[in-house]
Amino acid sequence: MAKKVAASLLSADFSELGKAVRVLNESESDWIHVDVMDGVFVPNISFGQPVVKYIKKYAKKPLDVHLMIIDPDRYFEDFKKVGADIITVHYEVCNHLHRTLFHIKDLGLKAGVVLNPHTPVCLLKDILCLCDVVCLMSVNPGFGGQKFIENTYHKIKELKSMIEEQGLDTLIEVDGGVNTENASLLYEAGADVLVAGSAVFASENPMKTIEELKK
Ligand code: DX5
Ligand code: ZN
């Protein structure tokens, strides 16, 4: 499976969001990762549909919308309208995950589930076949620039064998604390998509950093 990078705009300069999106368009980033936070599920508020609409206006890459919000089903139509291509929801907030994933897919979008660091991958066994993506949080969600949680490697490997056992082509995404030092180890462990925010936007040359993440 080809290695992918999904650069996260959370660490971009929001006063120049259009410029950041254009940089990602020119870069080797495969997706543009968009972090929506509600201040309830996570202790931070980022932005919502109106901002995503402006990101879409400039974006030439698929928008990977990571919903860190409670009751996400209420907003799928809205996020489709403003340009989401992939929507991922947190396992921890979905009482009816089967219905939720179908809801996203019925809108013609790719659907994924995100697991917090404390949520075991085995809980996905009977829902994996509906996941285009499983995103493993390698930090506690809510903020960029946090330290990578090492237990994630073990979770990637376990998830990879579950995917192979079931003969699926579900992508494994890893989100949080990804940088040029751990990227190759993460791909080796079985990750397909690496989300990188601060590693990209705090670097002197975001385009070059993305290139290095993919090497
Ligand atoms: C954190 C977000 C991440 C964030 C990652 O809750 O889900 O996507 O942007 O930031 P870094 O790469 O700086 O850890
Ligand atoms: Zn994210």
Side-chain angles (χ1 to χ4, degrees):
M1 197 97 57
K3 304 172 201 164
K4 290 188 197 303
V5 165
S8 166
L9 287 171
L10 189 65
S11 297
D13 178 347
F14 283 8
S15 70
E16 295 194 294
L17 208 44
K19 199 169 145 195
V21 175
R22 283 197 206 98
V23 168
L24 299 186
N25 286 340
E26 300 307 313
S27 77
E28 287 184 30
S29 185
D30 299 271
W31 299 346
I32 296 178
H33 187 82
V34 177
D35 289 299
V36 176
M37 303 177 184
D38 65 357
V40 180
F41 175 60
V42 289
N44 194 13
I45 300 174
S46 57
F47 48 74
Q49 305 89 315
V51 172
V52 179
K53 188 175 166 189
Y54 283 102
I55 293 171
K56 188 67 175 185
K57 188 173 160 193
Y58 296 103
K60 291 186 184 148
K61 311 259 169 111
L63 294 192
D64 171 30
V65 178
H66 175 191
L67 295 181
M68 282 162 272
I69 64 176
I70 59 162
D71 211 356
D73 287 68
R74 288 172 62 200
Y75 299 99
F76 296 155
E77 276 81 4
D78 281 11
F79 280 105
K80 181 193 161 115
K81 222 180 277 168
V82 296
D85 297 283
I86 303 149
I87 290 183
T88 60
V89 293
H90 271 261
Y91 180 89
E92 298 82 11
V93 297
C94 294
N95 289 329
H96 304 284
L97 195 51
H98 186 271
R99 181 187 291 148
T100 295
L101 292 174
F102 267 112
H103 186 176
I104 301 172
K105 284 169 174 283
D106 284 346
L107 293 170
L109 306 176
K110 300 265 184 224
V113 177
V114 191
L115 300 185
N116 272 342
H118 71 274
T119 307
V121 296
C122 61
L123 292 173
L124 294 178
K125 183 171 159 272
D126 295 308
I127 199 74
L128 204 50
C129 59
L130 293 183
C131 300
D132 296 302
V133 185
V134 171
C135 178
L136 299 176
M137 287 309 304
S138 37
V139 297
N140 286 295
F143 302 93
Q146 301 181 82
K147 193 173 173 293
F148 180 84
I149 296 171
E150 297 288 326
N151 183 50
T152 311
Y153 290 110
H154 161 77
K155 291 178 81 174
I156 298 170
K157 287 179 192 155
E158 193 182 337
L159 179 57
K160 191 74 177 180
S161 41
M162 275 169 67
I163 292 168
E164 282 171 359
E165 252 165 49
Q166 297 190 30
L168 302 170
D169 54 11
T170 305
L171 297 175
I172 301 178
E173 185 175 31
V174 176
D175 185 3
V178 172
N179 54 44
T180 50
E181 258 113 78
N182 57 21
S184 58
L185 287 172
L186 290 165
Y187 287 130
E188 261 166 46
D192 303 295
V193 188
L194 299 184
V195 176
S198 54
V200 169
F201 285 102
S203 75
E204 272 178 23
N205 187 339
M207 297 245 270
K208 196 154 167 268
T209 304
I210 292 169
E211 213 181 291
E212 279 168 20
L213 286 168
K214 289 186 79 162
K215 265 186 200 157

